[in-house]
Structure formats: structure tokens, C-alpha cells
Amino acid sequence: MKEECGVDGIGHDIGDHIQINDIDVELTPADHAWQNQIAKYNYRVWEDREYCGFYVKTPTKKIWYVGDSKLMDCQLHMDPPDVMFFDFADNPVHIGLENSYKLANTYPNTKLVLIHWGSVDAPEASAFNGNPQDILDNVVNPERVVILAPGEEYVVD
């Protein structure tokens, strides 16, 4: 960040834990280096280590933001979270629909809070145009799917 943007900061690696009082935040792997596919961003190689998800453990809940990511095998072997912030876009630099069903069904009792859909007014951009009905029709225990409007609050209970 300092070299490219002039921002001082402290870096963390995938797998690192950040402790905030009684909350543990682990950086989990993500694969979202889409910039490597577009010529104007080829001024350097974008690496998976630059992208992450966040697995948050509170004293009572486990919450996982998977991150913008293609499906990775390691994501299918996590400690089952109580809640997953879950991208389901049918997009080649995101998880894709079939892989989103696979990830969701790997954790059949995890609440799925759908993200990344409907958040940008870009009808031509598949990354933002997932149809929540697709998830409801293709996951075990569809009653666990949480569909929120952009900006709507979700309280983990």
C-alpha cells in the first residue's frame, strides 16, 4: 500500500489472526485476482495473497465473510460458521452459481446472507445481478437464506 498508494499500514498474511478484545478475526484465502486478465492492469502481477476473507469468532458466534472469490478447495473445509456472508454471482471472477450451491451445501446449517447482488446499478454486469431465487431453488435448507435489500441491516442472533 505504501509503494502503490502512499498509505502507511500494517500488513497481515493469509492465516493470520487479529485479536480485538474477545473477538478473533482470521484472514482466510480468496481467489479474486481478476486484474491479471485485463491488459490495463498488467503493470504488475496480482497475487492471491492480496485478497482475503474474514472468519470472525465472537464468544457466541462464528461469522465468515468469504470475500469476493472463486471457489477454492480450502473453503470447503472450514469450521462450519453460524453465518456466512455469501456471494452468489454467476460471474467468472466470482464464485459462479454452481460453485455457490456447492459452497452453501457444504455448510447446510449455516445462515447465508446474500451479498454482492443488487448493490450496483449495472444491469449488464453479471457480478451484481444474481437472482436470489436461484439460491433458494438449489440449496439444502433454503429457509436459512437471508435476502436483504442493499443497505438493509442484519442482526446475527
Side-chain angles (χ1 to χ4, degrees):
M1 290 297 293
K2 185 171 186 168
E3 196 174 291
E4 286 188 35
C5 304
V7 175
D8 284 326
I10 299 170
H12 295 281
D13 292 323
I14 302 301
D16 282 357
H17 291 257
I18 301 163
Q19 196 69 33
I20 305 167
N21 298 321
D22 58 355
I23 297 171
D24 177 75
V25 181
E26 179 182 358
L27 279 65
T28 61
D31 177 357
H32 197 59
W34 58 268
Q35 297 91 335
N36 291 327
Q37 301 169 22
I38 300 174
K40 77 177 186 176
Y41 298 110
N42 289 160
Y43 54 88
R44 71 174 181 88
V45 174
W46 301 83
E47 302 176 47
D48 286 344
R49 68 183 183 86
E50 298 176 85
Y51 306 90
C52 69
F54 299 96
Y55 196 104
V56 179
K57 291 181 184 176
T58 74
T60 60
K61 296 291 180 191
K62 296 177 283 185
I63 304 160
W64 183 25
Y65 166 61
V66 179
D68 281 358
S69 182
K70 295 178 182 177
L71 184 63
M72 303 174 75
D73 184 67
C74 61
Q75 294 169 334
L76 300 172
H77 304 283
M78 301 290 289
D79 181 21
D82 298 299
V83 176
M84 185 176 357
F85 290 93
F86 186 74
D87 182 1
F88 69 105
D90 190 14
N91 180 276
V93 298
H94 290 262
I95 192 167
L97 287 179
E98 293 303 317
N99 285 331
S100 67
Y101 308 150
K102 183 176 184 176
L103 181 61
N105 289 328
T106 296
Y107 305 101
N109 299 311
T110 296
K111 289 265 191 191
L112 303 173
V113 179
L114 305 182
I115 63 165
H116 217 281
W117 73 283
S119 57
V120 174
D121 184 13
E124 72 292 342
S126 62
F128 308 110
N129 290 314
N131 181 346
Q133 191 62 51
D134 291 333
I135 286 291
L136 294 172
D137 292 342
N138 289 282
V139 298
V140 176
N141 302 327
E143 66 279 357
R144 68 197 170 107
V145 175
V146 178
I147 302 170
L148 303 172
E152 187 176 351
E153 179 180 275
Y154 176 73
V155 177
V156 177
D157 53 10

